[in-house]
Amino acid sequence: MLFRKVLIASVGYFLRQDCSIGYEAGRILREKGYEVLELSGDVFAMVDELRSRPHEVLILLGTVQRGRPPGTIEVYEFVPQKFKDYLEAADALRPSLEGRISLQDLLTGLSVLGPVARKVYVVECEPPVPEPGIGLSPEGEKCAERMAEKVIELLGHV
C-alpha cells in the first residue's frame, strides 16, 4: 500500500461563527496549493474518511473552546485520551452522536477508535466569537490566516 506522507484536514461548524475557522484556514492553504480535506459529520464518519486516505502524518485544523484568550493558537502533537472503561468512552462520544461537529469530538473519537496515522498534529484556535451565527469575525479571519501559517511551518518539520 502506498502512503501519502502528510494529510491535512480541517474541522468546523458553520453555524457557530468562529467555530468554522478551521475551514477558512483550509481554504487559505488550498489557495496556496496545498490539498486539504474538509471533515464533517459525526465522529465515526470523520474517522472513516481519515482511514480511507492512507497517510503517515495527519495535521488537523480547527477550534476548541478551552477558556484561553480569544484567538490563541496552539500547535501540539496529539496524545490519545485514556478512559477508565467502555462506558466512559461511550459517554465521551455522545455529543458527536447528538449532532455536534467539532475538533474536540474528533480528538475524542481518535482516542476511542484508535490511531489513523503514525503521528497526529493539531493546530487549534480558541474561537474569538463562538456564538451562533454565520461568517467569521475579523478576529476569526486573522486566526485562520495565522493557523495556515502555522501549518506551513509545521510541514517544514514533519
Side-chain angles (χ1 to χ4, degrees), residues 70-138:
T72 298
I73 294 176
E74 289 191 38
V75 179
Y76 58 91
E77 185 174 343
F78 170 68
V79 176
Q81 180 181 351
K82 304 284 186 204
F83 298 99
K84 64 181 177 187
D85 56 34
Y86 290 110
L87 289 175
E88 184 181 48
D91 194 46
L93 290 173
R94 184 164 287 119
S96 176
L97 301 177
E98 294 172 352
R100 188 174 77 183
I101 303 165
S102 75
L103 175 59
Q104 183 60 55
D105 291 329
L106 177 55
L107 297 174
T108 300
L110 292 174
S111 294
V112 173
L113 302 171
V116 296
R118 182 178 52 78
K119 288 199 178 270
V120 177
Y121 294 96
V122 180
V123 179
E124 72 178 38
C125 175
E126 183 78 28
V129 182
E131 288 82 26
I134 297 176
L136 295 180
S137 69

Side-chain angles (χ1 to χ4, degrees), residues 30-86:
R30 279 191 297 280
E31 284 183 354
K32 295 178 183 285
Y34 297 93
E35 186 177 329
V36 180
L37 173 66
E38 282 189 7
L39 294 172
S40 186
D42 67 55
V43 70
F44 296 103
M46 290 190 283
V47 170
D48 284 347
E49 182 68 25
L50 291 171
R51 286 190 173 142
S52 75
R53 298 168 184 261
H55 54 281
E56 294 176 20
V57 176
L58 173 63
I59 299 174
L60 293 171
L61 306 169
T63 61
V64 178
Q65 292 179 264
R66 299 190 190 279
R68 302 165 291 198
T72 298
I73 294 176
E74 289 191 38
V75 179
Y76 58 91
E77 185 174 343
F78 170 68
V79 176
Q81 180 181 351
K82 304 284 186 204
F83 298 99
K84 64 181 177 187
D85 56 34
Y86 290 110

